[in-house]
Amino acid sequence: MLLAIYFLIILGFIVYSARTLKGIPKLKLVEKLKEYPKVSIIIPARNEADTIEWCLDSVTKLDYPRKEIIVVDGNSTDGTYKIAKKYKGIKVFREGKLPKGWIGKNWACWLGYKKASGEYLLFTDGDTWHHPKLLISSIAYMQKNRVDFLTLGQKAVMRSFWEKVSLPVIFFIIMLNNGGKRINDDKSKDLVVNGMYILVKRKAYEKVGGHESVKDNIVEDFFLGKRFKSMGFRLRFLAAMDYFETKMYKNFSEMFEGWTKNFFAF
């Protein structure tokens, strides 16, 4: 009897999980747009010499005619700044002294916004890879669905044993906990935000106060998204594993530190 009950519980969990994850829509690639609003791609980067070329090679090849790329270096000590400066047409700035009350990445994003001139702002990380059609497809989705804040789920390129063991479980729990269709329901308080890819309308970003409004928050991506949603802006999360990748951690210590900060903040 107990075995039968246990089996039914496991079966129910599997069915629920499948239905929940199935409810998360996927980004569809498009080839062209009628209009191309200018997009400022803002990349905060600190000590990412092993991935910054991978990232910049991909964003410079994005099939989007009206874009500017801004790298804000967080006083790197590993050559990240020098590597970024080699790319023609990319604006590269140093973060400088961190003001009181700010967390480094938030300050870098805010500085990038101050230097940007685009109607849309894309905040992405220096350890990401973008399919050539990723940006144009993201803008197309936002235009068609009148979205103010778009964030994407990525494929994690797992290089270490501990990443392969733990990251799939962590990602699964996060997505399962927040629900499939609920995260894109304007009436629901649930949301999932991936700070590795946040594409927003500039006017909406300014109305919520941008990264200055979450300047001292470790999980700034989640709380920035929460501000957008609480103020009535449309937020959407899409899966884009075939078109967007990241190399998150080099080793166990980096992974442990990263997830510890996130879980502690929550």
Side-chain angles (χ1 to χ4, degrees):
M1 183 64 179
L2 288 176
L3 185 61
I5 294 174
Y6 178 75
F7 174 77
L8 289 174
I9 292 173
I10 295 298
L11 180 62
F13 178 75
I14 292 173
V15 172
Y16 171 75
S17 302
R19 288 173 63 87
T20 298
L21 297 178
K22 188 178 180 181
I24 300 172
K26 295 182 179 180
L27 179 70
K28 296 180 180 179
L29 294 189
V30 302
E31 294 295 324
K32 59 182 179 180
L33 300 174
K34 291 183 179 180
E35 296 181 2
Y36 292 83
K38 186 174 182 180
V39 179
S40 298
I41 303 170
I42 300 166
I43 306 172
R46 176 175 169 78
N47 291 338
E48 299 193 67
D50 64 327
T51 57
I52 193 67
E53 286 185 279
W54 185 58
C55 173
L56 295 181
D57 284 345
S58 69
V59 296
T60 53
K61 294 175 183 176
L62 285 168
D63 184 13
Y64 198 90
R66 298 191 66 209
K67 65 178 183 291
E68 66 175 351
I69 303 169
I70 301 170
V71 175
V72 183
D73 177 72
N75 304 316
S76 297
T77 58
D78 67 346
T80 299
Y81 179 80
K82 291 183 179 179
I83 294 172
K85 287 289 288 184
K86 293 178 181 179
Y87 287 80
K88 295 181 180 179
I90 294 181
K91 300 176 183 178
V92 185
F93 304 94
R94 288 193 186 276
E95 180 182 290
K97 185 178 180 180
L98 186 65
K100 185 178 180 180
W102 283 83
I103 286 176
K105 182 179 180 181
N106 304 347
W107 175 240
C109 288
W110 185 247
L111 285 178
Y113 150 69
K114 290 291 188 178
K115 301 286 185 180
S117 59
E119 300 168 56
Y120 286 74
L121 307 171
L122 170 59
F123 297 96
T124 190
D125 287 353
D127 57 2
T128 59
W129 173 87
H130 304 237
H131 185 282
K133 298 291 183 181
L134 183 64
L135 181 56
I136 191 174
S137 302
S138 298
I139 292 293
Y141 179 87
M142 292 185 73
Q143 291 178 332
K144 181 180 179 180
N145 297 279
R146 303 190 308 279
V147 173
D148 303 294
F149 183 116
L150 176 66
T151 184
L152 302 178
Q154 85 286 2
K155 174 185 176 182
V157 179
M158 293 173 280
R159 296 175 284 177
S160 69
F161 167 78
W162 290 107
E163 283 182 295
K164 295 175 183 178
V165 170
S166 61
L167 288 186
V169 177
I170 293 172
F171 290 147
F172 178 78
I173 292 173
I174 291 173
M175 298 310 302
L176 190 62
N177 180 63
N178 287 278
K181 294 182 178 179
R182 297 199 310 272
I183 59 176
N184 287 329
D185 183 349
D186 294 326
K187 297 179 181 179
S188 172
K189 293 182 179 180
D190 291 306
L191 71 156
V192 170
V193 179
N194 180 10
M196 299 175 191
Y197 197 99
I198 295 178
L199 179 60
V200 296
K201 291 181 178 178
R202 185 190 189 101
K203 290 183 178 179
Y205 177 81
E206 292 173 343
K207 285 184 179 179
V208 304
H211 281 82
E212 186 176 32
S213 66
V214 293
K215 64 182 181 181
D216 59 350
N217 204 305
I218 296 175
V219 282
E220 82 296 335
D221 49 359
F222 175 83
F223 286 100
L224 183 62
K226 195 172 182 179
R227 283 185 63 82
F228 268 80
K229 203 163 188 179
S230 67
M231 293 178 68
F233 291 108
R234 302 194 76 193
L235 185 150
R236 293 293 182 269
F237 174 88
L238 302 179
M241 286 71 166
D242 296 330
Y243 320 120
F244 181 50
E245 298 181 3
T246 181
K247 296 177 180 177
M248 293 180 67
Y249 306 110
K250 303 184 191 75
N251 50 52
F252 175 78
S253 61
E254 279 194 6
M255 184 187 71
F256 182 79
E257 180 183 358
W259 284 107
T260 298
K261 287 192 296 185
N262 283 295
F263 283 125
F264 177 77
F266 275 113

